[in-house]
């Protein structure tokens, strides 16, 4: 999809800035290209996450660089902190649910989700804090199923098909 392509481009550009290596940035992009699904979790009514650029900026820095990491603005009130904690707990529950379905997942934070280009891609409001980017794919230990039932005793769709249906129900395309 176009959204996935834009996400990979953001990944590449941010990695280029941080690593200053085309090979390293391309490796990161290639790695992210293997991820089948992404979920973004945000929480609203937080401190403004976009630094306003003064119109007379004369320090010769490119504050409009869409791939530059934005400053972190943490929750400032008890309510904001509670909302952030609730979003974090929901991510943990999602990761546990994905694991129980045999899917691999990773909760990512860092410079890619804290740049203006990513915020624009997901149409994030200024008062929304991005709690995490959840990467979902096949588990590396997919053959190690903790289920006590053998696959021959299961009736209905295969576990692989059920995982695909679960993932399709869970995810919403951003396009």
């Amino acid at each position: 999809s176009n959204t996935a392509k834009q996400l990979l481009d953001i990944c590449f550009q941010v990695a280029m800035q941080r690593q200053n290596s085309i090979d390293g940035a391309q490796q990161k992009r290639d790695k992210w290209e293997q991820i089948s699904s992404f979920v973004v979790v945000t929480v609203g009514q937080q401190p403004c996450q976009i630094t306003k650029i003064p119109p007379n900026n004369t320090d010769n820095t490119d504050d409009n660089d869409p791939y530059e990491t934005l400053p972190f603005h943490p929750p400032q009130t008890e309510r904001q902190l509670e909302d952030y904690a609730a979003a974090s707990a929901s991510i943990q529950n999602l990761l546990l649910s994905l694991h129980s379905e045999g899917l691999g997942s990773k909760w990512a934070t860092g410079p890619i989700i804290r740049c203006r280009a990513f915020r624009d891609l997901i149409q994030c409001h200024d008062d929304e804090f991005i709690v995490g980017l959840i990467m979902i794919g096949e588990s590396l230990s997919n053959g190690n199923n903790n289920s006590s039932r053998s696959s021959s005793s299961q009736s209905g769709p295969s576990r692989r098909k059920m995982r695909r249906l679960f993932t399709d129900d869970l995810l919403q395309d951003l396009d």
Side-chain angles (χ1 to χ4, degrees), residues 57-121:
N57 182 17
T58 58
D59 63 0
N60 294 329
T61 60
D62 186 6
D63 289 329
N64 290 315
D65 182 352
Y67 306 107
E68 188 68 35
T69 302
L70 295 169
F72 175 68
H73 299 286
Q76 296 177 351
T77 66
E78 185 174 352
R79 173 66 186 261
Q80 290 171 343
L81 187 58
E82 287 174 356
D83 289 347
Y84 176 80
S88 297
S90 71
I91 291 174
Q92 181 63 29
N93 289 337
L94 173 62
L95 297 177
L96 291 170
S97 180
L98 291 167
H99 177 75
S100 75
E101 294 295 328
L103 293 168
S105 60
K106 178 183 177 184
W107 177 354
T109 60
I112 292 173
I113 69 168
R114 289 193 23 232
C115 73
R116 192 176 315 273
F118 184 80
R119 293 183 65 83
D120 291 345
L121 175 66

Side-chain angles (χ1 to χ4, degrees), residues 43-49 74-75 80-81 83-84 127-129:
V43 62
Q45 298 179 347
Q46 297 291 306
C48 182
Q49 299 298 309
Q80 290 171 343
L81 187 58
D83 289 347
Y84 176 80
D127 73 338
E128 286 181 296
F129 182 79

Side-chain angles (χ1 to χ4, degrees), residues 144-156:
N144 299 334
N145 188 351
N146 293 335
S147 174
S148 59
R149 294 184 294 163
S150 70
S151 61
S152 62
S153 67
Q154 292 179 351
S155 60

